[in-house]
C-alpha cells in the first residue's frame, strides 16, 4: 500500500497570510486545521518516505533522516525547497537523493552546499524511474522556472501530481490524454479569473485540464487565500469528484488493479 | 526602555540538528527550552519592534505586520533571511523598511520580489542611523558574504551585536576600542579549536575579542551543537560576566546613564 499525505496545500504566502483579515485567513488563524503550508506530498511505502517538494520548514519534526528514501522536487521556487536549507547541515552520514528538473540555477546556494542531499542527474521530459515502491514519470509544466509534474504508477493505480502550472504544455497533454488517470492532484491557486494565467491555474483553467484528462477523482491544491475566500463565498460549486485538498489529508493506494507497471 | 529578546541563538543547522544523537541535540529534542533557532534579536520599544535578522520561519506567529517598525539584516545567508520569504507576500498595504549590508546579490529572489519589504540603501561601514527609539552604527565583520555587526546606543547604554564573524576587521576593532561597551552579543559558533577560523569564532577567538573590547557583560550566540556538546562536557569554564545566550532570553536597557547619544 502507498499512503500519500498532503504535507501542504497552500501557495507561497501560505494561509493565513501575514496581516490579512479576509474570511479565509481569519478562519485559519482561529482553527489550525484550516492552515495551509506550502504545497507538497509525502508518499509512505514499506520502503520508506518519499517527499514531493520540501517547502515545509518543520520537516525535521515530521520525519527522521532514516525515514526519508528520497526527495523529488517539482522546481526550485523557494516555497518548494525552503525546508531543505537547515536540514542539509545534518551530520548523520547517509546521503538523501534529491530528484529534480533541469534547472542549472537551483535555489540560492543549495547546489554549492548540498550537505546531506545528493542532487541526481536532472529528469528529462517524460523520463520514467522505476523504484522498488513505485514508478514516476516526469511531466513538463508551464511555470516561470523549469518545473515538472509527476505521474505516479503503483499497483495499477495512476496518480498525477500537477503543480505548479498554468494549463499544460502539449507534450504533457499528449502523454496523458491516452492514459486512464485515477487520481489527479492539480494546481488551482486562483478563483475564476478573466485574466490570462501565466504561472498557476485559476479555477477555469483547472476545470479545463480536468475535462481533458477525465480523472476519476481530483484534489485541488496550491490554494491561495484569494481562492479560499472565494470558495467560502461560493459554496457547493464543485462536482463531487473534485475536492479541495487540506493539509494532512491522506490518499491510500491499494494494489488492487490487474494492469499497471508495478 | 528597550526590551531586547534573543529570537534565536543557533547556527544554520539549528539545535537539535536533524538526525544527530549528541548529548546537546538529544537534550534539545526532549526539553524544548534547549532548542536553538537561527540567531537573531527582537528589540521592542514604545515605537514598535525592530528585528535584527529574520532567520526564524515562524515570525508571522510572533509578530503582527503592524508591530514591526523595521528589519535590520546582518547579511544574506539563508539562516538570517529565510523567514522573509513567505512574509513578503502579505497584502497588508504598508511597507516594512529593511536595512542591510552592501550585498548586490542578496538571497535568491528577495530583491526581485521584495513584496511587503522595502530594501533601503545599503549601510556604508560605520554609518550611523538615529531613529526615534535608538541609534545604530554599522560595523564591518569577517564573513564569507558582506556582513555587518551593529552598535546599538540607547539612553547611555551601548550594546554591540557582533554575529557572524571570525575575529574583527581592523576598522571595527579601531572604532570600538575607545568606546565603553556595556553589553556584547558575540558569535561563538565553535568550541576551542586549533584551526584558523574563517567564518565564525571558536571560543578562543571569541575570548580574544572580549579581552579587546572589555564589555561589562557578554552573551555568546550562534551556538552550534558542537559547541553546546563541548559546554555540556566542560561546565563552569566561563567567567561570570560571559554567558551562553538562550532562545527567548531578554535584556532590558533602561535610560539611566547621563552620557550617550539618546
Amino acid at each position: 500500500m502507498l499512503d500519500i499525505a498532503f504535507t501542504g496545500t497552500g501557495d507561497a504566502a501560505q494561509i493565513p497570510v501575514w496581516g490579512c483579515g479576509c474570511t479565509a485567513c481569519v478562519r485559519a488563524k482561529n482553527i489550525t486545521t484550516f492552515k495551509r503550508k506550502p504545497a507538497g506530498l509525502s508518499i509512505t511505502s514499506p520502503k520508506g518516505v518519499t517527499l514531493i517538494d520540501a517547502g515545509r520548514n518543520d520537516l525535521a519534526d515530521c520525519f527522521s533522516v532514516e525515514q526519508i528514501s528520497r526527495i523529488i522536487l517539482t522546481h526550485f521556487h523557494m516555497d518548494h525547497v525552503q525546508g531543505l536549507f537547515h536540514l542539509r547541515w545534518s551530520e548523520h552520514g547517509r546521503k538523501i537523493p534529491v530528484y529534480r528538473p533541469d534547472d542549472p540555477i537551483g535555489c540560492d546556494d543549495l547546489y554549492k552546499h548540498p550537505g546531506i542531499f545528493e542532487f541526481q542527474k536532472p529528469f528529462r521530459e517524460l523520463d520514467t524511474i522505476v523504484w522498488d515502491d513505485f514508478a514516476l514519470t516526469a511531466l513538463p509544466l508551464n511555470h516561470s522556472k523549469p518545473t515538472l509534474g509527476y505521474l505516479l504508477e503503483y499497483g495499477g493505480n495512476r496518480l498525477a501530481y500537477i503543480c505548479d502550472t498554468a494549463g499544460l504544455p502539449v507534450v504533457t497533454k499528449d502523454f496523458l490524454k491516452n492514459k486512464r488517470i485515477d487520481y489527479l492532484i492539480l494546481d488551482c491557486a486562483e478563483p475564476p479569473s478573466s485574466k490570462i494565467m501565466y504561472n498557476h491555474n485559476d479555477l477555469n483553467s483547472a476545470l479545463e485540464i480536468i475535462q481533458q484528462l477525465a480523472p476519476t477523482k481530483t484534489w485541488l491544491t496550491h490554494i491561495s487565500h484569494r481562492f479560499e475566500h472565494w470558495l467560502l463565498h461560493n459554496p457547493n460549486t464543485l462536482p463531487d469528484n473534485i475536492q479541495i485538498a487540506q493539509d494532512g489529508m491522506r490518499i491510500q493506494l491499494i494494489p488492487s488493479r490487474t494492469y499497471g507497471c508495478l
Side-chain angles (χ1 to χ4, degrees), chain A:
Chain A
M1 191 187 79
L2 284 192
D3 189 89
I4 299 176
F6 288 90
T7 53
T9 58
D11 69 352
Q14 306 180 30
I15 296 179
V17 174
W18 196 38
C20 183
C22 82
T23 324
C25 289
V26 169
R27 183 180 67 159
K29 255 181 239 162
N30 293 331
I31 308 169
T32 56
T33 50
F34 291 111
K35 282 183 190 287
R36 293 189 186 274
K37 291 183 184 286
L41 298 180
S42 66
I43 304 168
T44 304
S45 81
K47 304 282 179 186
V49 176
T50 299
L51 295 180
I52 307 269
D53 284 338
R56 277 180 70 144
N57 288 304
D58 60 350
L59 291 171
D61 299 330
C62 306
F63 305 102
S64 70
V65 176
E66 293 84 355
Q67 271 182 300
I68 303 292
S69 303
R70 62 188 76 91
I71 297 173
I72 295 162
L73 300 177
T74 60
H75 65 303
F76 283 90
H77 273 152
M78 190 59 78
D79 55 320
H80 294 257
V81 300
Q82 61 201 359
L84 301 179
F85 280 94
H86 78 279
L87 300 192
R88 64 182 161 166
W89 303 120
S90 172
E91 295 166 8
H92 183 277
R94 75 171 282 239
K95 296 284 183 183
I96 295 175
V98 180
Y99 298 83
R100 56 179 171 132
D102 191 3
D103 183 343
I105 295 167
C107 181
D108 198 54
D109 63 354
L110 264 184
Y111 286 161
K112 190 176 171 193
H113 299 296
I116 195 176
F117 299 117
E118 210 155 49
F119 287 99
Q120 306 297 301
K121 200 177 136 193
F123 275 111
R124 286 169 307 174
E125 60 182 39
L126 307 183
D127 266 354
T128 297
I129 298 186
V130 181
W131 288 293
D132 280 352
D133 37 4
F134 57 86
L136 213 65
T137 300
L139 309 170
L141 299 180
N142 296 326
H143 201 54
S144 58
K145 261 176 113 64
T147 300
L148 296 171
Y150 294 101
L151 179 68
L152 181 153
E153 294 178 275
Y154 167 75
N157 297 276
R158 283 205 193 93
L159 180 148
Y161 185 74
I162 295 183
C163 175
D164 303 22
T165 197
L168 289 181
V170 174
V171 60
T172 296
K173 212 181 290 181
D174 285 351
F175 178 78
L176 292 176
K177 77 176 174 195
N178 296 319
K179 290 190 164 50
R180 185 204 73 257
I181 306 295
D182 302 299
Y183 306 110
L184 173 63
I185 300 172
L186 182 62
D187 178 314
C188 185
E190 301 294 339
S193 169
S194 56
K195 294 182 193 160
I196 296 171
M197 304 304 292
Y198 289 104
N199 275 321
H200 292 283
N201 290 322
D202 70 338
L203 184 56
N204 295 331
S205 48
L207 290 174
E208 199 175 318
I209 292 173
I210 294 167
Q211 195 175 28
Q212 287 161 358
L213 304 185
T216 308
K217 173 89 187 174
T218 300
W219 288 269
L220 301 180
T221 190
H222 211 285
I223 311 294
S224 71
H225 73 139
R226 294 173 294 276
F227 185 34
E228 185 99 286
H229 181 83
W230 183 89
L231 285 163
L232 283 165
H233 292 84
N234 296 272
N236 308 318
T237 48
L238 297 174
D240 285 348
N241 66 341
I242 303 177
Q243 198 176 344
I244 307 296
Q246 297 290 341
D247 286 26
M249 197 177 264
R250 289 164 65 192
I251 305 166
Q252 295 189 329
L253 300 190
I254 296 165
S256 58
R257 298 179 191 272
T258 54
Y259 45 89
C261 75
L262 282 172

